[in-house]
């Protein structure tokens, strides 16, 4: 396998928002070594190709490709001749740009002839003219090409044309979207005919492939296509050109180009690791959520403390030097941070009472910090007092801190004892810990979050759920790792009126929306919560009528569920789930008490509509 670290990283200008110079600057700032110049970006640029050449030179960016050249091959006369003239014009542009390679994508025109020999003749003629100017041509099968849409067809044509200045461009999207692969590439296609590689991922969507490609492509690791195995096959065939991202995505084109470019580079660094070519500090071994931290002021802390008390938490410790409290129930730790001039107070100023950090247990925090740095995710170190333990953290895309806590072993002291005066007292043996942490994410931010959790922590995506809020649709997908010890559902809503949408606008972008705690017995837990007057969400009687129809629960069981506001679900493998929700705190976040039985692996999505309607009723004063 070639040393991938020597394969330059490149990005197509079409991936990014802004005018051409902005795109080039963003690509260079992220650390790309090359760019594909999209013709449209050049057409709309108010300057000469030579200006672009100079900007690229100043930014140390190579122009890896000029594209696209459309509807060229196998056209009847007189278009055939006109197309060759058009090619000469574009060669002029390329020479002014300093671009050496042009991409011809397979013809989509209705008049294109179904004659591969003609296509080969035309491409040979174009390649010959290119060669006279020391330029080269690569041919790409578009998944929706009129007669050519598979790489094997494109290869037959290129092989027939048999010109040294003509080769193939392989694009992961076009191949993988048709559920094709690169089987047979190595051996059939000589390495020197593999001129260019374009990388894109995508979500699995059932839609026409043209719209899918033009609007929903993603960076590798953000979607569901087997891009890593595609790259592995191409490297095995001897490909030694640039790794170039070509992503058409509506959200990316409206987002800040520097952020998107950085994510693009991260996706390539991660992909190199996936194919075993350029290792990163290894993925962490995760073993759960050690604590969740809230930014509060004193008034919010009193109010939140009251709610937590009703859920069986007690004030279990006070920070030695800061205005920070530890609240605990069994294995669940919550930190209420009211310290002025801290990351927490900054968050409180911006967003009010909200989650400002979560702490994950990992085998080796320092190794994960090194991994974050290799992926250029920002690392954060809080000011500490003498004798306090410094807990490293990385910043999630919304600025939430993710602390990295070494999983306590018999040999290590739990983190709490250095920094907190832990009150003596036995913790009520109620909650086992954090079951999952759900976050609301703005539509334009989700792909950045996916990349963050997947590339840095190795969390893997679970099934996608579509949840019906009374005021719009919410899409939810959990990212899971550490054998289920870390579960992070990410919720997105296009509607601003859903609970998720409102949360995103109220909290300036994104944030933790609810925290679910695990209990061994939801019934016992909810009896206690009821006795303490915990404000649980009311569930309509109709829900329990329907439960009786769907599941073989006896009347006694149903009565208990209804009395304790518990929802119920079962998965196809026979696992079951009992869970209940608190009212939202300040219309922001809420808590869930959850019991998983017999290996239940989901999140009660079947009940989400009932929960969201109950929350909507409360918001609008109906309850
Ligand atoms: O959507 C298109 O037309 C288009 C153009 C050029 C490409 O390289 C490509 O993959 C798609
Ligand atoms: Mg392409």
């Amino acid at each position: 396998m070639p040393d991938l670290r020597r394969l330059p990283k490149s990005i197509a200008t079409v991936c990014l928002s802004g005018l051409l110079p902005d795109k080039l600057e963003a690509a260079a700032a992220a650390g790309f070594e090359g760019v594909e110049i999209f013709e449209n970006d050049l057409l709309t640029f108010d300057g000469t190709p030579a200006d672009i050449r100079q900007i690229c030179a100043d930014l140390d960016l190579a122009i890896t490709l000029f594209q696209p050249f459309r509807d060229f091959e196998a056209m009847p006369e007189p278009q055939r001749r006109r197309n060759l003239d058009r090619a000469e014009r574009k060669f002029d542009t390329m020479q002014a740009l300093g671009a050496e390679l042009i991409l011809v994508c397979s013809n989509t025109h209705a008049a294109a002839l179904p004659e591969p020999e003609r296509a080969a003749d035309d491409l040979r003629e174009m390649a010959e003219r290119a060669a006279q100017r020391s330029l080269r041509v690569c041919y790409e099968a578009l998944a929706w090409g009129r007669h050519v849409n598979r790489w094997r067809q494109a290869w037959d044509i290129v092989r027939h044309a048999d010109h040294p200045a003509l080769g193939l461009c392989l694009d992961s999207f076009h191949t993988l979207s048709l559920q094709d692969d690169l089987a047979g590439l190595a051996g059939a296609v000589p390495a020197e005919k593999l001129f260019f590689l374009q990388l894109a991922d995508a979500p699995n969507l059932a839609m026409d492939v043209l719209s899918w490609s033009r609007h929903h492509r993603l960076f590798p690791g953000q979607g569901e296509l087997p891009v890593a195995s595609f790259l592995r096959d191409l490297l095995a065939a001897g490909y030694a050109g640039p790794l170039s991202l070509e992503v058409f995505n509506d959200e990316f084109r409206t987002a800040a180009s520097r952020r998107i470019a950085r994510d693009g580079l991260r996706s390539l660094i991660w992909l190199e690791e996936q194919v075993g070519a350029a290792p990163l500090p290894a993925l962490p071994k995760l073993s759960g959520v050690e604590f969740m931290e809230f930014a509060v002021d004193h008034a919010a802390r009193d109010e939140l403390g009251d709610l937590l008390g009703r859920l069986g938490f007690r004030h279990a410790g006070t920070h030695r030097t800061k205005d920070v409290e530890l609240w605990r129930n069994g294995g669940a730790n919550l930190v209420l941070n009211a310290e002025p001039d801290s990351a927490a107070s900054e968050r409180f100023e911006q967003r009010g009472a909200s989650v400002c950090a979560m702490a994950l247990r990992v085998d080796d925090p320092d190794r994960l910090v090194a991994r974050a740095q290799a992926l250029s995710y920002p690392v954060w170190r809080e000011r500490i007092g003498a004798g306090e333990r410094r807990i490293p953290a990385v910043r999630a895309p919304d600025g939430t801190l993710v602390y990295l806590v070494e999983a306590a072993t018999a040999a290590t002291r739990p983190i709490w004892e250095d920094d907190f005066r832990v009150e003596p007292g036995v913790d009520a043996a109620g909650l086992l810990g954090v079951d999952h942490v759900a976050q609301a994410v703005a539509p334009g931010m989700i792909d950045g979050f996916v990349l963050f959790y997947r590339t840095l922590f190795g969390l893997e995506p679970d099934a996608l759920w579509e949840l019906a809020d009374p005021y719009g649709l919410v899409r939810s997908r959990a990212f899971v790792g550490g054998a289920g010890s870390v579960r992070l559902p990410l919720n997105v809503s296009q509607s601003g009126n859903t609970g998720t949408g409102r949360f995103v606008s109220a909290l300036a972008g994104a944030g933790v929306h609810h925290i679910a705690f695990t209990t061994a017995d939801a019934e016992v837990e909810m009896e206690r919560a009821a006795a303490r007057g915990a404000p649980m969400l009311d569930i309509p009687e109709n829900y329990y009528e329907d439960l009786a129809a769907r599941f073989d629960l006896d009347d006694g069981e149903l009565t208990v569920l209804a009395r304790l506001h518990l929802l119920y679900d079962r998965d196809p493998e026979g696992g079951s789930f009992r869970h209940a929700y608190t009212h939202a705190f300040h219309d922001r976040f809420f808590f869930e008490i959850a019991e998983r039985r017999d290996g239940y692996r989901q999140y009660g999505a079947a009940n989400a509509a009932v929960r969201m309607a109950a929350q909507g009723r409360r918001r609008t004063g109906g309850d």
Side-chain angles (χ1 to χ4, degrees):
M1 177 172 298
D3 181 353
L4 260 180
R5 276 162 293 190
R6 276 192 262 117
L7 299 189
K9 297 186 178 72
S10 160
I11 185 167
T13 56
V14 75
C15 302
L16 302 171
S17 70
L19 300 172
L20 186 51
D22 309 326
K23 296 176 185 229
L24 298 174
E25 267 165 35
F32 284 96
E33 295 145 277
V35 283
E36 298 179 24
I37 302 277
F38 255 68
E39 185 173 34
N40 254 347
D41 285 318
L42 190 64
L43 297 182
T44 54
F45 171 64
D46 185 21
T48 65
D51 294 335
I52 293 302
R53 176 187 205 143
Q54 188 59 48
I55 293 173
C56 288
D58 291 345
L59 293 169
D60 227 357
L61 283 173
I63 298 179
T64 55
L65 186 78
F66 179 68
Q67 77 139 326
F69 195 75
R70 296 186 189 278
D71 297 339
F72 169 72
E73 78 284 16
M75 290 298 270
E77 295 291 5
Q79 286 101 320
R80 177 175 178 277
R81 184 125 310 277
R82 282 215 289 271
N83 275 344
L84 285 164
D85 292 343
R86 182 160 63 93
E88 295 283 3
R89 296 268 182 104
K90 295 303 161 188
F91 293 161
D92 295 342
T93 305
M94 288 170 69
Q95 288 185 302
L97 267 178
E100 184 257 344
L101 183 63
I102 186 168
L103 178 142
V104 174
C105 48
S106 61
N107 202 327
T108 62
H109 200 284
L113 303 168
E115 295 170 20
E117 307 77 27
R118 271 292 310 282
D121 288 347
D122 294 346
L123 284 162
R124 185 189 309 108
E125 175 67 25
M126 182 172 173
E128 176 52 30
R129 293 175 183 217
Q132 283 165 17
R133 310 198 202 197
S134 302
L135 304 176
R136 298 186 305 150
V137 178
C138 59
Y139 184 48
E140 172 192 54
L142 291 183
W144 55 92
R146 184 147 182 95
H147 302 298
V148 174
N149 38 45
R150 304 269 174 169
W151 69 265
R152 290 178 193 82
Q153 294 172 293
W155 166 238
D156 278 343
I157 289 168
V158 167
R159 185 165 52 86
H160 252 88
D162 191 23
H163 194 287
L166 180 67
L168 277 184
C169 169
L170 287 152
D171 177 322
S172 60
F173 180 86
H174 295 300
T175 298
L176 301 174
S177 62
L178 299 179
Q179 298 190 1
D180 198 358
D181 56 34
L182 296 182
L185 181 81
V189 183
E192 68 271 15
K193 283 293 181 188
L194 300 171
F195 278 15
F196 206 76
L197 162 63
Q198 294 176 321
L199 292 164
D201 202 338
N204 283 328
L205 296 173
M207 67 190 304
D208 78 281
V209 72
L210 171 63
S211 308
W212 188 15
S213 177
R214 293 260 172 95
H215 303 285
H216 302 282
R217 287 192 186 203
L218 294 168
F219 291 136
Q222 293 178 329
E224 296 166 275
L225 300 181
V227 183
S229 82
F230 181 91
L231 177 57
R232 241 178 256 124
D233 289 345
L234 206 60
L235 295 172
Y239 177 74
L243 303 178
S244 195
L245 296 166
E246 190 203 33
V247 168
F248 308 85
N249 181 299
D250 300 345
E251 300 285 0
F252 290 12
R253 287 205 238 189
T254 62
S257 54
R258 287 190 174 224
R259 171 164 67 79
I260 300 299
R262 259 201 310 275
D263 274 352
L265 195 83
R266 289 173 178 135
S267 79
L268 288 181
I269 294 171
W270 173 79
L271 201 58
E272 289 174 335
E273 179 193 45
Q274 294 295 298
V275 301
L280 295 173
L283 284 168
K285 289 193 180 56
L286 298 167
S287 51
V289 176
E290 177 69 20
F291 67 85
M292 299 296 301
E293 180 172 332
F294 293 83
V296 289
D297 63 4
H298 289 164
R301 185 170 72 193
D302 290 347
E303 213 179 317
L304 185 54
D306 179 69
L307 170 58
L308 293 174
R310 292 173 196 277
L311 290 175
F313 283 81
R314 67 183 184 94
H315 177 185
T318 303
H319 198 280
R320 293 181 192 281
T321 61
K322 294 179 186 162
D323 194 353
V324 177
E325 294 180 355
L326 165 64
W327 286 66
R328 181 175 271 170
N329 179 346
N333 296 308
L334 301 178
V335 169
L336 309 193
N337 190 336
E339 174 74 1
D341 298 325
S342 65
S345 66
E346 182 191 327
R347 175 63 70 105
F348 184 83
E349 292 305 323
Q350 287 169 356
R351 306 191 184 181
S354 53
V355 171
C356 58
M358 78 177 132
L360 299 181
R361 291 185 205 116
V362 302
D363 56 333
D364 183 349
D366 292 337
R367 193 180 77 233
L368 187 47
V369 164
R371 185 176 174 87
Q373 285 165 334
L375 288 162
S376 69
Y377 281 115
V379 171
W380 163 266
R381 289 193 163 84
E382 181 97 35
R383 286 185 289 112
I384 51 168
E388 286 172 27
R389 184 141 5 160
R390 188 192 289 285
I391 308 176
V394 293
R395 270 196 193 278
D398 68 322
T400 296
L401 292 175
V402 182
Y403 283 106
L404 309 170
V405 175
E406 187 170 354
T409 63
T412 56
R413 277 151 61 87
I415 56 157
W416 305 107
E417 287 166 22
D418 287 336
D419 295 3
F420 285 82
R421 277 190 303 278
V422 178
E423 316 282 339
V426 185
D427 292 307
L431 302 176
L432 301 175
V434 170
D435 182 273
H436 61 271
V437 178
Q439 301 179 67
V441 177
M445 293 293 288
I446 184 70
D447 303 308
F449 271 89
V450 168
L451 201 69
F452 176 74
Y453 287 121
R454 203 158 181 206
T455 63
L456 185 53
F457 294 96
L459 300 184
E460 282 300 324
D462 225 329
L464 176 70
W465 295 96
E466 299 199 329
L467 314 176
D469 185 288
Y471 302 100
L473 196 71
V474 176
R475 289 201 167 77
S476 177
R477 189 193 291 280
F479 286 76
V480 181
S485 64
V486 174
R487 303 171 191 261
L488 305 178
L490 299 180
N491 296 345
V492 180
S493 179
Q494 299 289 342
S495 157
N497 293 328
T498 57
T500 296
R502 289 165 45 84
F503 181 89
V504 163
S505 49
L507 264 77
V512 171
H513 185 239
H514 79 265
I515 300 170
F517 300 109
T518 318
T519 172
D521 190 329
E523 190 180 321
V524 169
E525 198 60 47
M526 294 312 298
E527 287 287 8
R528 289 193 197 135
R532 296 185 211 102
M536 305 309 291
L537 203 60
D538 282 324
I539 305 301
E541 192 51 40
N542 292 338
Y543 170 78
Y544 296 99
E545 302 281 337
D546 178 58
L547 267 194
R550 285 193 292 142
F551 300 113
D552 53 348
L553 298 170
D554 64 43
D555 285 349
E557 226 169 332
L558 280 168
T559 308
V560 169
L561 291 176
R563 182 167 56 80
L564 297 174
H565 310 254
L566 278 162
L567 301 158
Y568 181 88
D569 190 29
R570 217 178 277 169
D571 69 15
E573 290 80 36
S576 66
F577 194 50
R578 295 192 295 176
H579 59 142
Y581 296 94
T582 67
H583 294 164
F585 183 82
H586 289 188
D587 194 19
R588 291 253 161 93
F589 54 82
F590 52 97
F591 299 103
E592 178 180 359
I593 304 293
E595 177 195 351
R596 294 176 185 272
R597 276 197 201 162
D598 302 319
Y600 178 88
R601 292 181 48 237
Q602 303 175 7
Y603 303 86
N607 300 325
V610 175
R611 188 252 300 164
M612 293 188 294
Q615 289 171 327
R617 257 195 312 280
R618 277 191 62 79
R619 275 205 311 268
T620 53
D623 260 20

